[in-house]
Amino acid sequence: MDESKVLSGNKSLPKSRGRTAYRVAPIALTCSLIFASTPASALEPLSRHLKSSEGRAFENREAEALANQREEETSRAWLRLAPTFVATASYTRNQYESVMRVPSGNEIRESVIVPNDQRDLYLTVVVPIIDVSSWERIGAAKRNRDASRARQKATAVDVKQRVANAYYNVVGAEAVLSSAKRSLEAAEKSLTHVNTRNAAGMAQELDVRRASAEVERNRQLVADGDLQVAKSRRVLETTSGLAPSPGARELTAALDQEAPLAF
């Protein structure tokens, strides 16, 4: 039968309801595609944590601050050899003015020795010519600066090493936790199977207790795995300064051919 005839012959379906149904269908299809294409969250790659540790790790920040301090100390040591200029001004109010009268020809000139309002200005310029102690101080500051820069580089390498160790500890802890959860699921299924066999008279009570003990043991392993994952993630966040994303990395076995022994 033709589909158009079926739609035209459906008298019980109102026009508004038919239009609503046709509007809802594309929306539902779009939402399903969006949610289906959203990737599952997983632990970000190691490179992001290494990049974050360069500016956020406490050890790197401390080493950088110390290197900047040594740089400023070197600049301050150089300033000791620069010429210095000092200007000092003072104001004095005298109760009486001191005047000296000096005859000059037919006139008498007055010269003020101490005025009522006395203003003084002192200018001092110091130019060091030979300052051995400043030279030695500059040399020591330079050596401290170079040492702090080298220490900063060594600290960055050490931080990257610890970030890598912490990252792979998280990967290993997540893998152990995933394995423990699978073991717990298998133990629970085994317990269900043993209970069914026991109810049918095909298994003993000892088998049920053994299966129950195995389930509890795997539950303990899952709890230990959760604790280890939380601790390793906390260490990674503290070391790199970046909170790891939830989820685990997908581990695949490398089946490539091994290199020859001479290599």
Side-chain angles (χ1 to χ4, degrees):
M1 184 180 293
D2 192 1
E3 186 178 359
S4 60
K5 295 180 180 180
V6 175
L7 294 177
S8 61
N10 191 357
K11 303 296 183 180
S12 61
L13 181 62
K15 294 182 179 180
S16 60
R17 183 178 302 176
R19 288 195 297 268
T20 304
Y22 285 118
R23 291 195 190 101
V24 172
I27 297 176
L29 179 60
T30 304
C31 293
S32 63
L33 291 176
I34 292 175
F35 287 108
S37 61
T38 302
S41 60
L43 184 64
E44 57 271 346
L46 174 61
S47 58
R48 291 187 56 186
H49 289 275
L50 294 176
K51 185 67 177 178
S52 175
S53 66
E54 295 178 359
R56 295 185 181 181
F58 297 112
E59 292 84 354
N60 286 339
R61 292 162 59 185
E62 180 183 4
E64 183 179 4
L66 182 59
N68 293 334
Q69 179 182 354
R70 295 292 182 262
E71 191 73 30
E72 294 298 328
E73 290 177 355
T74 304
S75 301
R76 188 174 60 183
W78 274 106
L79 289 177
R80 293 179 178 271
L81 293 178
T84 59
F85 174 78
V86 180
T88 306
S90 63
Y91 170 76
T92 306
R93 175 65 180 176
N94 299 311
Q95 185 177 3
Y96 301 102
E97 185 179 38
S98 178
V99 180
M100 181 179 64
R101 292 181 175 87
V102 180
S104 177
N106 297 328
E107 297 179 356
I108 297 178
R109 295 183 179 181
E110 293 184 355
S111 298
V112 179
I113 298 176
V114 180
N116 290 118
D117 298 322
Q118 183 178 352
R119 298 175 179 87
D120 299 317
L121 177 63
Y122 303 95
L123 302 178
T124 305
V125 179
V126 178
V127 180
I129 299 177
I130 298 176
D131 193 347
V132 179
S133 61
S134 296
W135 296 343
E136 294 295 332
R137 193 178 294 108
I138 291 173
K142 286 182 177 180
R143 289 188 290 271
N144 290 333
R145 180 196 58 188
D146 297 339
S148 62
R149 291 300 181 188
R151 191 179 300 109
Q152 182 183 6
K153 295 179 180 179
T155 302
V157 173
D158 182 65
V159 168
K160 287 184 178 181
Q161 180 181 1
R162 293 197 291 113
V163 168
N165 290 335
Y167 181 85
Y168 287 113
N169 284 337
V170 172
V171 174
E174 290 284 358
V176 171
L177 177 60
S178 178
S179 176
K181 288 181 178 180
R182 291 195 299 268
S183 298
L184 176 60
E185 183 180 357
E188 290 175 346
K189 291 181 179 179
S190 177
L191 177 60
T192 303
H193 179 68
V194 171
N195 284 329
T196 303
R197 290 175 57 86
N198 185 30
M202 301 177 64
Q204 299 179 1
E205 184 67 22
L206 180 60
D207 297 331
V208 176
R209 294 183 178 275
R210 286 177 178 174
S212 300
E214 186 67 18
V215 169
E216 296 302 326
R217 187 181 72 84
N218 283 280
R219 286 178 179 173
Q220 182 180 358
L221 293 178
V222 170
D224 294 339
D226 287 329
L227 177 60
Q228 189 63 29
V229 166
K231 291 171 61 178
S232 59
R233 284 179 171 272
R234 183 59 180 174
V235 171
L236 178 59
E237 181 180 0
T238 304
T239 307
S240 65
L242 177 64
S245 302
R249 299 287 295 177
E250 183 179 358
L251 301 179
T252 57
L255 302 179
D256 300 336
Q257 185 177 2
E258 294 293 338
L261 181 61
F263 178 79

